Amino acid sequence: MAKRFKHVYQFKISLNNAPVPIWRRIQVPDYYTFWDFHMAIQSAMGWLDEHLHHFCLKNPISKRKAFIDMERSEEVVFFSHLPLEKQEEKYFERNQFIANWFTPRNKKGKYLYDFGDSWEHTIVLERILPREKKVRYPRCLAGEALCPPENCGGVWGYKHLLEVIANP
């Protein structure tokens, strides 16, 4: 049985520093946690959720930089960013709802996927819309370019891969 919800959050997710513009426009239900949001991004980009990730954005209440991470494990702690500065906060993604973080006054964030390849994305909340009846969410409305394959070496490896493909 599908959850009831009133609003849909529309985001544009852009892969930073890619050799060609790579982005997706997605809509997700207002009840989504950051874990759900991560899975929607993975699906829209065509990735397989094989790597660690986290979100980074301003806490709309404290105005401090916040990291919203996967559940902690020794592996995540080892690969995650450097220890928190005094002005940073950390939360777990499965109990943080996107509707509490993304607002008309707090529209931007970052999403880092694969701490080795460092696929950094900019997330922009474009609109908060009423739910459309008989529409299945999440959904990808638009996008540009294929997403790089996983494990190709990040932006630099992807640029090299494109050069090799263009001139075998």
Side-chain angles (χ1 to χ4, degrees):
M1 183 178 189
K3 288 188 178 185
R4 296 177 188 257
F5 59 97
K6 292 182 179 180
H7 296 100
V8 173
Y9 282 58
Q10 181 173 301
F11 294 97
K12 182 175 182 184
I13 298 127
S14 303
L15 182 59
N16 297 348
N17 304 311
V20 296
I22 300 172
W23 60 271
R24 302 292 184 270
R25 178 167 288 117
I26 66 172
Q27 292 180 338
V28 299
D30 59 11
Y31 65 81
Y32 261 30
T33 65
F34 277 87
W35 167 253
D36 299 317
F37 190 32
H38 157 71
M39 294 307 295
I41 294 169
Q42 287 287 297
S43 180
M45 289 300 209
W47 282 333
L48 302 172
D49 188 30
E50 295 179 344
H51 301 282
L52 304 173
H53 67 274
H54 69 222
F55 294 87
C56 179
L57 64 160
K58 183 174 66 173
N59 182 325
I61 296 170
S62 71
K63 308 297 186 212
R64 292 168 60 179
K65 183 177 186 180
F67 291 90
I68 301 174
D69 279 330
M70 304 168 62
E71 298 299 325
R72 302 318 284 166
S73 71
E74 287 185 28
E75 183 180 23
V76 174
V77 171
F78 176 75
F79 284 109
S80 191
H81 72 291
L82 297 173
L84 293 176
E85 299 292 327
K86 290 181 182 178
Q87 297 300 312
E88 296 177 343
E89 302 171 354
K90 188 170 291 266
Y91 300 91
F92 296 126
E93 67 184 4
R94 290 185 189 260
N95 58 14
Q96 296 299 314
F97 296 93
I98 62 168
N100 294 336
W101 289 84
F102 287 102
T103 67
R105 299 180 99 181
N106 201 49
K107 293 183 174 196
K108 285 189 170 186
K110 299 283 184 190
Y111 168 71
L112 181 65
Y113 176 63
D114 185 346
F115 296 163
D117 282 359
S118 295
W119 298 113
E120 184 181 81
H121 303 74
T122 297
I123 300 168
V124 178
L125 173 66
E126 293 183 319
R127 302 166 73 186
I128 300 173
L129 304 160
R131 175 188 186 179
E132 292 181 46
K133 301 293 184 198
K134 299 183 181 180
V135 171
R136 290 185 59 154
Y137 299 98
R139 69 179 178 167
C140 183
L141 300 176
E144 187 172 346
L146 293 176
C147 203
E150 297 205 43
N151 302 313
C152 73
V155 171
W156 306 273
Y158 183 51
K159 286 177 184 176
H160 178 71
L161 177 64
L162 292 177
E163 290 169 7
V164 169
I165 291 170
N167 187 12

